[in-house]
Amino acid sequence: MSPVHGTRGRKSAQNAQTGTTATPARTGVAAKGAAGEGTPSADRAAGGHRGALLVSMLRIRRFEERCVELYSAASIRGFVHLYIGEEAVAVGINEALTPEDAVVSTYREHGHALARGVPAEAVMAEMYGRTTGCSGGRGGSMHLFDASRRFFGGNAIVAGGLPLAAGLALADRMREQPRVTCCFFGDGAFAEGEFHETANLAALWHLPLLLVCENNLYAMGTAIERHEAQTDLAMRAASYGMVAWAVDGMDVEAVEQAARRATESIRAGGGPHFLELRTYRFRAHSMYDPDRYRDKSEVEQWKGRDPVKRLTERMRENGELDDEELARIEHRVTEEVDRAVEAAEQAPEEPVESLLRHVTSASAEVS
């Protein structure tokens, strides 16, 4: 869809409509990832750009499927929100970001973290609550964090990451840092005051902020038409004077193209941009959710637009992928997830003696 924009965003909207895209050599987390198996740069070297997109989405899909098994076996506990079906959003958006950019996520953030380059072993160890986890085993599924990759965490509070993202973007603008802050949130967060406060300040202060709304049509178990009088979220976001448009969130290449257009405009001084990624989660809201609010036929219809299958079919049609190569990719990703589980199971738990570390001041710690 064409961008919708307010009066303050017309110039940047015109820039975005040119279709100019940044080259992989200078943008994308993959461009500067560390070498080695399982990293974005290794993915790209293995099968070109589309191959890297496929590997990244399959990594998320297989990781999440393993989480289902582990949760069912009580190996991991607590709230777990799966990203199955939405992989194209995390992968496509991260392709347009550099390692210097910042990412703020939601409680459904496994895919965001993996696409950002957080190692599967660090994410899985966090799921297990082990000290080798990316948050030291203290955050669990909803609070992944990796400052070294400027991944500033998931957030268990709906819309809770939005003000934090605005603060990061404001800091970069005040320091004249040429960086973008990307904030993921769901359609349910659009109804929260934090979204509207953040959108207003971002437009007012012309912040280098990319707002990514993952519209999967349900706020927990409430369909969007039951909690939003106007369901065109991009149009509503544009009322704040920022460039905004809707994107097919089930097509990773469409997501990447839109993200590149948006981030290029932001870096050029175009102010905040809003992307409404129209996507769908194939699993329930969380592992606790019986998922009785959706018709099975609706879920199956959306599965027909599976982003992993769509890219696979596109690559097959273009002669970029055959059964042997797909099997090799599947084997590689499965082994990576297997190693992550094995490492997590062998990693140590935090000793009781250090449980107050980072919680109380030194004078209040119990010896």
Side-chain angles (χ1 to χ4, degrees), residues 61 65 82-87 108 216 250 279-285 291 294 298-309:
R61 179 69 58 88
E65 289 171 346
L82 301 172
Y83 204 65
I84 296 173
E86 301 185 25
E87 296 89 350
R108 194 184 308 279
N216 60 29
M250 306 301 278
T279 184
Y280 199 82
R281 50 176 168 79
F282 295 165
R283 303 282 305 197
H285 168 72
D291 200 11
R294 305 188 295 186
E298 177 185 295
V299 178
E300 292 305 313
Q301 182 179 1
W302 276 91
K303 284 184 177 179
R305 299 177 59 194
D306 186 325
V308 176
K309 291 181 179 178

Side-chain angles (χ1 to χ4, degrees), residues 226-239:
R226 300 190 65 179
H227 69 82
E228 294 292 339
Q230 170 55 261
T231 59
D232 189 335
L233 303 185
M235 182 177 70
R236 291 179 61 193
S239 70

Side-chain angles (χ1 to χ4, degrees), residues 162 181 183 185 195 198-199 209-213 242 273-275:
L162 282 155
T181 295
C183 184
F185 54 97
F195 168 76
T198 298
L209 182 62
L210 176 61
L211 297 170
V212 178
C213 179
M242 69 178 73
H273 282 51
F274 176 97
L275 296 180

Side-chain angles (χ1 to χ4, degrees), residues 239-258:
S239 70
Y240 284 101
M242 69 178 73
V243 183
W245 70 95
V247 184
D248 180 0
M250 306 301 278
D251 184 336
V252 67
E253 292 186 296
V255 175
E256 179 187 358
Q257 181 183 26

Side-chain angles (χ1 to χ4, degrees), residues 45-61:
H49 186 64
R50 277 183 171 165
L53 298 176
L54 179 59
V55 171
S56 190
M57 286 199 295
L58 275 172
R59 178 180 294 116
I60 296 170
R61 179 69 58 88

Side-chain angles (χ1 to χ4, degrees), residues 162-287:
L162 282 155
L164 302 178
L168 288 166
L170 176 61
D172 284 338
R173 198 205 70 178
M174 294 176 70
R175 294 170 178 167
E176 298 183 349
Q177 295 284 348
R179 300 192 291 210
V180 172
T181 295
C182 170
C183 184
F184 291 95
F185 54 97
D187 54 287
F190 201 95
E192 297 289 335
E194 289 92 337
F195 168 76
H196 299 281
E197 293 162 356
T198 298
N200 181 60
L201 288 178
L204 186 65
W205 295 340
H206 218 57
L207 300 183
L209 182 62
L210 176 61
L211 297 170
V212 178
C213 179
E214 296 179 309
N215 182 3
N216 60 29
L217 306 183
Y218 290 90
M220 295 183 70
T222 304
I224 188 171
E225 62 268 16
R226 300 190 65 179
H227 69 82
E228 294 292 339
Q230 170 55 261
T231 59
D232 189 335
L233 303 185
M235 182 177 70
R236 291 179 61 193
S239 70
Y240 284 101
M242 69 178 73
V243 183
W245 70 95
V247 184
D248 180 0
M250 306 301 278
D251 184 336
V252 67
E253 292 186 296
V255 175
E256 179 187 358
Q257 181 183 26
R260 288 193 184 279
R261 291 167 65 189
T263 54
E264 283 194 341
S265 181
I266 294 170
R267 294 184 205 284
H273 282 51
F274 176 97
L275 296 180
E276 178 191 348
L277 281 299
R278 294 177 178 175
T279 184
Y280 199 82
R281 50 176 168 79
F282 295 165
R283 303 282 305 197
H285 168 72
S286 72
M287 290 296 293

